[in-house]
Amino acid sequence: MLNFDVVIPIYNEEANLPELHRRLREVCEVQGDCNWRVLYVNDGSDDDSWSIMHTQCEQDSRFSVIDLSRNFGHQPAIAAGLAHSEGDAVIIMDGDLQDPPELIPDLVACWQGGAQVVRAERRSRQEKGLRRVGFDLFHRFFGWVSDFPLPGHTGIFGLLDRQAVMELNRFPEKNRFFPGLRGWVGFKQGVVYYDRKDRRAGEPKQSFRRLVRYALDGIFSFSYKPLRLMTGAGVLISTAGFLLAFFFVIRRLVGIEIAQTGFTTLVTLVLFLGGVQLIAIGLLGEYLLRIYDEVKKRPLYIVRSQYGLGRTGNKIKGIPDVSANQDSSDSPGSME
Ligand code: UDP
Ligand code: MG
C-alpha cells in the first residue's frame, strides 16, 4: 500500500488552518488504497496556530505536527518536514491555501505516470501590487542569471518521491532555494499546471525583506554570473582608462594643449568608479556571508516537540491503488 505525506510549513496561520484542514480531508478522504498523513511544521507561530493544529491532530490521527523551537523561516521549515517524512511520495505545499489541496490527486497521478519530481507550475497568479511586480521581475531575472536552467513560475508546491526526498535530505546547504534544489536533483521531472489564488486570509508571512533575501539566495546559490559580470566591468573600465591615457600622451606629444577644465568629469569618474568598486565588494560579500553560514555548520532548525507522527490506514480521493507496480520495499525512518 502506498504512503503519502503532505508537508506544510505553518507560521501564524490560525485564520487558514480550519479551512485547510477541511479541504485536505475532503481531498484525502477514503477512496483508493493508500495511507496519507499531513505533516504540519509549526515554525514558531505566536498566534493560536499551534493549539489548532494540536487539536486537529488529537481529533484525526492522520494529522501530525512538528514544533520548531522558534521561527526559522519558510525554507528551514520545509527541510524539517522533509526530514521527518516517510511517505513513498511527499507533497509540499503552503498553508495559506494559495496552493490548492485539490491539485494533490493530479500531482500523484503525474508521479504514478513515472515522474519522480513533480512541480506545480502557475498558469496565472492573483497577487497584485509590488509583490506581483517583484515576483515577475525575479522570475525573469532568475531565468537570465541562473547558471542552471530552471523553469519559472514555480514555488515550493509539488511532489517528490522517496528517492528525491532522500537526496534532498542529504543537502547540508543552509541558504536554501527549494525550487532550484528540486530542479537540481534531476530525476524524471513532471509538471502540473494550476491557477494560483491569493492567500485566503491574513497577511503574507514572508515579509518583503525575507522575500528579497530568498531571491538573493536563489541568485547567489545558482549563479556565478554576478562575479563574472564584475570581472567584465573591470576589464572594460580599465581598457577605457588605458585608451584615455594613451590619448592624453599622444595629445601632449603633438603639442595640442586644451584649457584645463574637467572638474565635473573628474568628480563623476571618481564617484562612478567608487560606486562600481563598492558594488563589487558587496557582491563578493554576498557570496562570502553564504560561505560563512555554511562553515559555521549550525543546524538548519531545532525541533522542540512533535505530535502524532503515527500512521493509520487512510486513503486519498481519486488515486487508484498502484502499489503492486511500485517498489515501496524500503521504508526509511526519520532522516534528521
Ligand atoms: N511560513 C513559515 N515560516 C515563515 C514564513 C512563512 O513557515 O517564516 C509559511 C506560511 O505560514 C505559509 C508558507 O510558509 O504556509 C508561505 O508563506 P507566505 O504565504 O507568507 O509566502 P508567499 O506566499 O508570500 O511566498
Ligand atoms: Mg502565500
Side-chain angles (χ1 to χ4, degrees), residues 112-141:
Q112 289 177 331
Q116 284 183 277
V117 175
V118 186
R119 60 176 191 278
E121 204 165 306
R122 298 153 196 153
R123 242 187 322 242
S124 65
R125 66 189 312 160
Q126 273 187 355
E127 288 118 329
K128 295 192 180 64
L130 199 58
R131 281 175 97 82
R132 170 65 187 264
V133 176
F135 284 130
D136 283 346
L137 271 180
F138 170 72
H139 283 294
R140 255 165 227 236
F141 182 69

Side-chain angles (χ1 to χ4, degrees), residues 6-221:
V6 185
V7 166
I8 311 180
I10 297 288
Y11 176 55
N12 294 347
E13 299 288 1
E14 60 180 3
N16 288 314
L17 277 168
E19 171 84 357
L20 179 65
H21 188 235
R22 188 186 64 72
R23 281 172 63 181
L24 279 168
R25 281 177 59 137
E26 246 172 54
V27 171
C28 302
E29 215 63 284
V30 184
Q31 212 179 87
D33 212 2
C34 38
N35 292 329
W36 61 271
R37 177 178 68 165
V38 172
L39 192 51
Y40 289 129
V41 182
N42 181 35
D43 187 20
S45 299
D46 43 32
D47 64 354
D48 254 357
S49 298
W50 165 251
S51 64
I52 297 174
M53 283 186 279
H54 196 268
T55 313
Q56 289 179 359
C57 296
E58 271 180 341
Q59 289 169 353
D60 191 333
S61 59
R62 296 166 297 192
F63 284 71
S64 49
V65 56
I66 303 166
D67 189 27
L68 302 187
S69 64
R70 65 169 172 83
N71 177 242
F72 283 89
H74 190 207
Q75 297 294 306
I78 292 168
L82 286 180
H84 287 79
S85 69
E86 294 174 358
D88 301 305
V90 181
I91 291 124
I92 301 138
M93 58 185 286
D94 283 346
D96 57 356
L97 291 164
Q98 284 200 282
D99 303 335
E102 292 72 24
L103 203 75
I104 292 177
D106 293 350
L107 296 174
V108 174
C110 187
W111 173 62
Q112 289 177 331
Q116 284 183 277
V117 175
V118 186
R119 60 176 191 278
E121 204 165 306
R122 298 153 196 153
R123 242 187 322 242
S124 65
R125 66 189 312 160
Q126 273 187 355
E127 288 118 329
K128 295 192 180 64
L130 199 58
R131 281 175 97 82
R132 170 65 187 264
V133 176
F135 284 130
D136 283 346
L137 271 180
F138 170 72
H139 283 294
R140 255 165 227 236
F141 182 69
F142 189 77
W144 172 74
V145 83
S146 171
D147 295 329
F148 183 76
L150 282 176
H153 303 289
T154 56
I156 59 141
F157 193 22
L159 177 149
L160 299 171
D161 85 348
R162 179 99 310 255
Q163 196 182 2
V165 172
M166 287 174 77
E167 291 306 329
L168 268 174
N169 285 341
R170 289 201 305 129
F171 283 34
E173 231 163 295
K174 300 284 180 290
N175 297 289
R176 293 161 92 91
F177 180 64
F178 182 78
L181 299 178
R182 181 181 55 197
W184 194 91
V185 292
F187 299 117
K188 192 162 186 285
Q189 304 248 339
V191 56
V192 168
Y193 294 93
Y194 76 112
D195 298 302
R196 189 166 167 89
K197 301 265 181 296
D198 218 343
R199 76 168 15 250
R200 194 187 146 271
E203 289 298 307
K205 305 301 176 300
Q206 290 272 72
S207 62
F208 200 72
R209 218 182 85 234
R210 278 200 179 184
L211 277 180
V212 170
R213 208 194 139 180
Y214 181 49
L216 292 179
D217 280 343
I219 292 165
F220 290 111
S221 56

